[in-house]
Amino acid sequence: DHSLSFDQLRWYSDVVMRYNPGSYVNIDYDASSQQFCRFFVSFAACISGFNACRPLLFLDGTFLIEKYKGQLLAATAKDGNNG
């Protein structure tokens, strides 16, 4: 049952926030159609561990069509401790 599954996501979100203070949980849904879009969880331990990392690496990609078939991937780096 889809409505039961969505209620379980809300329950899980509440439990994460209660037992893992400092965590981040986001349930995204379309209010007009009442359809589920995505569920994101970042536990407090992962957040604090990531804060200790210096370099940040951003990855992006897109599909190429027509003449240049394939994928285009891009990587950009930034030192996370310099603002």
Side-chain angles (χ1 to χ4, degrees):
D1 183 9
H2 295 290
S3 61
L4 178 61
S5 297
F6 192 71
D7 285 339
Q8 289 175 341
L9 283 179
R10 285 187 235 158
W11 172 85
Y12 184 73
S13 173
D14 292 340
V15 170
V16 168
M17 296 307 291
R18 182 179 306 129
Y19 293 107
N20 292 286
S23 296
Y24 177 80
V25 178
N26 185 15
I27 300 174
D28 189 19
Y29 69 97
D30 184 355
S32 62
S33 66
Q34 297 184 347
Q35 284 189 320
F36 171 78
C37 295
R38 65 186 69 89
F39 181 70
F40 178 81
V41 177
S42 183
F43 296 106
C46 295
I47 293 170
S48 64
F50 184 76
N51 288 335
C53 294
R54 284 190 58 123
L56 296 176
L57 181 64
F58 301 94
L59 301 173
D60 193 17
T62 187
F63 293 101
L64 302 174
I65 57 174
E66 296 187 15
K67 183 178 178 182
Y68 304 103
K69 296 192 185 306
Q71 298 86 28
L72 174 66
L73 301 175
T76 306
K78 180 178 181 348
D79 187 349
N81 288 333
N82 288 335

